[in-house]
Amino acid sequence: FRPSRFWVVWAQRDPEYRYFGTGVIGRLRPGVSLDHARAVVAVQSAQQQRYWAERWHYADQDWKPRPYVVLPASDIRMPFEPDASVVPARLVSAVTIVVAIVLLIAAANIAGILAGRGVARTNEVAVRLALGAGASRVIRQLLTESVVLSVAGGLIGLFVAWIVVALYQAYTPSRFVVDVPFDVRIVLFTAAVCVGAGLLVGLAPALQALKVNVTTALGGGSDTGATGRVRRRLRHGILIPQVALSMVLLVVAGVHVRALMHIESADLGYRVKDLVVLNVGHWDPGPSLKENNQAARNERAARARTFYRAVFDRSRKVPGADGVAITSSLPLSSSSSPNTFISQDAFLAGSTDASTAWEAAISTGYFQTMGMS
């Protein structure tokens, strides 16, 4: 995952090859908007389009050069970009669902604690009611306490999340990093969740407090009958969802861990240990492929073969290397070339059902080096 430390100055490239895709990162000058930059680049792109159309006669061909585009740096996620994110959106959604379940379990747990605390505060609520406090005033007090508790937990959670995300982004390869910016949306969403959870967990104890029998509570007795049944139903209503959600999380975690263990021990059909991969490439700014100069093409191909033979021979001399091979595409990569083919019998029968096969160039000893049968 380390970036290359070998660079070629762009001015050294043959101008004939500069029409290949290139990404440029720049900063806008003060006072220049993104729309203005796009307008300037659009004019340059149109000029380049006309230049290449006149030079290569693109009007007679299907392929045309791409126009220049300007994107904010945070939006650059190209399919062929080596460091592009490979974390599927469905995985992020699944993690979000798990987090929501954990939040519900935590809310049910806090609701149970507040309900138990409400039982201990029966005398306090009875005194307030006896002194003339209205039901709405008691409910507001209890809901305010639960919301303050929830907001305090949310602030601590934001602080912990900020530290964890910073460590995650610092020590995780860029292609596996999920972009989680700490902006106003995150703060507002957290505030909404905290207030909603605070009201949710505080509502049941508040409603329970209104059912206090003032005479019994002030007389030192315990509630019986209907009030006792309400409390039992409340406890069961909190406990049953908490246990059910916890069981769901445990089952999902067990299945996930088991799947990871199977993946870790799976036979991929090739070696995954004691292998070193070197990415090398031969760039020869010779004559254009569109120029009909077969002698120059052959000369450039010979130079490429000489380069790769030199890489092959020098790599075999590295101490500790018991096998060396060259390939244009490693397993599970899509950098090879597709070929469309159809069987002879199907073709003679008039069928047009073709298949696509991906091919890769390999050198002698590739299967032995990769441990493939």
Side-chain angles (χ1 to χ4, degrees):
F1 302 113
R2 294 180 179 177
S4 173
R5 296 179 181 176
F6 299 93
W7 301 85
V8 176
V9 180
W10 187 240
Q12 296 177 352
R13 293 288 183 91
D14 190 325
E16 203 72 18
Y17 285 86
R18 292 183 189 172
Y19 63 86
F20 285 116
T22 304
V24 178
I25 299 177
R27 293 183 177 179
L28 294 175
R29 290 181 179 177
V32 178
S33 65
L34 186 62
D35 293 334
H36 178 69
R38 285 173 172 166
V40 173
V41 172
V43 174
Q44 299 176 351
S45 178
Q47 295 174 352
Q48 290 291 324
Q49 294 273 3
R50 289 193 297 269
Y51 170 77
W52 291 113
E54 296 173 358
R55 185 172 182 84
W56 296 115
H57 305 289
Y58 285 126
D60 303 331
Q61 303 178 20
D62 294 331
W63 186 84
K64 295 182 180 180
R66 287 184 175 183
Y68 299 158
V69 293
V70 177
L71 298 173
S74 60
D75 293 340
I76 298 178
R77 279 291 184 268
M78 301 181 181
F80 53 85
E81 188 179 2
D83 291 334
S85 176
V86 298
V87 179
R90 285 179 295 179
L91 178 60
V92 178
S93 301
V95 172
T96 304
I97 294 174
V98 171
V99 171
I101 294 177
V102 173
L103 175 63
L104 290 176
I105 295 175
N109 194 14
I110 298 297
I113 294 175
L114 292 179
R117 188 167 176 261
V119 174
R121 298 176 64 183
T122 300
N123 293 340
E124 175 193 344
V125 174
V127 169
R128 291 180 183 275
L129 293 175
L131 291 177
S136 61
R137 187 184 184 100
V138 174
I139 291 178
R140 287 200 305 270
Q141 176 193 347
L142 298 177
L143 288 181
T144 300
E145 292 176 358
S146 63
V147 170
V148 170
L149 180 65
S150 178
V151 171
L155 292 176
I156 297 175
L158 274 179
F159 178 71
V160 173
W162 176 68
I163 296 177
V164 172
V165 170
L167 294 175
Y168 161 72
Q169 293 177 341
Y171 294 99
T172 303
S174 56
R175 68 181 66 187
F176 297 114
V177 171
V178 179
D179 189 15
V180 187
F182 270 80
D183 51 17
V184 178
R185 294 174 299 174
I186 298 292
V187 176
L188 292 178
F189 178 78
T190 304
V193 170
C194 291
V195 173
L199 294 175
L200 181 64
V201 302
L203 187 61
L207 295 178
Q208 176 186 345
L210 295 181
K211 300 181 182 297
V212 172
N213 189 321
V214 177
T215 303
T216 304
L218 294 180
S222 58
D223 290 348
T224 58
T227 303
R229 288 194 297 272
V230 170
R231 287 180 177 174
R232 284 195 297 272
R233 287 198 296 268
L234 181 62
R235 286 198 301 268
H236 294 162
I238 292 175
L239 182 61
I240 292 175
Q242 190 173 358
V243 173
L245 292 174
S246 299
M247 288 298 297
V248 171
L249 274 187
L250 286 175
V251 171
V252 171
V255 172
H256 183 62
V257 171
R258 184 177 180 183
L260 289 178
M261 293 175 63
H262 280 298
I263 293 174
E264 191 72 21
S265 60
D267 183 11
L268 302 179
Y270 57 90
R271 292 170 58 187
V272 294
K273 295 182 178 180
D274 300 327
L275 285 178
V276 176
V277 177
L278 302 178
N279 293 316
V280 296
H282 180 262
W283 181 270
D284 191 344
S288 170
L289 298 178
K290 293 184 177 294
E291 295 184 9
N292 189 16
N293 189 340
Q294 191 61 41
R297 286 184 177 184
N298 294 339
E299 182 181 353
R300 184 170 61 174
R303 289 196 295 267
R305 285 193 294 269
T306 302
F307 169 80
Y308 285 110
R309 285 198 187 100
V311 171
F312 187 77
D313 294 337
R314 293 178 61 180
S315 299
R316 286 194 299 182
K317 298 178 182 179
V318 174
D322 59 358
V324 175
I326 295 179
T327 178
S328 61
S329 177
L330 288 171
L332 301 184
S333 70
S334 59
S335 58
S336 54
S337 302
N339 274 340
T340 304
F341 67 92
I342 186 172
S343 67
Q344 182 177 0
D345 295 338
F347 176 76
L348 295 177
S351 174
T352 57
D353 294 334
S355 301
T356 300
W358 295 81
E359 66 177 14
I362 62 174
S363 67
T364 303
Y366 171 76
F367 295 109
Q368 291 82 357
T369 303
M370 293 295 294
M372 295 180 177
S373 58

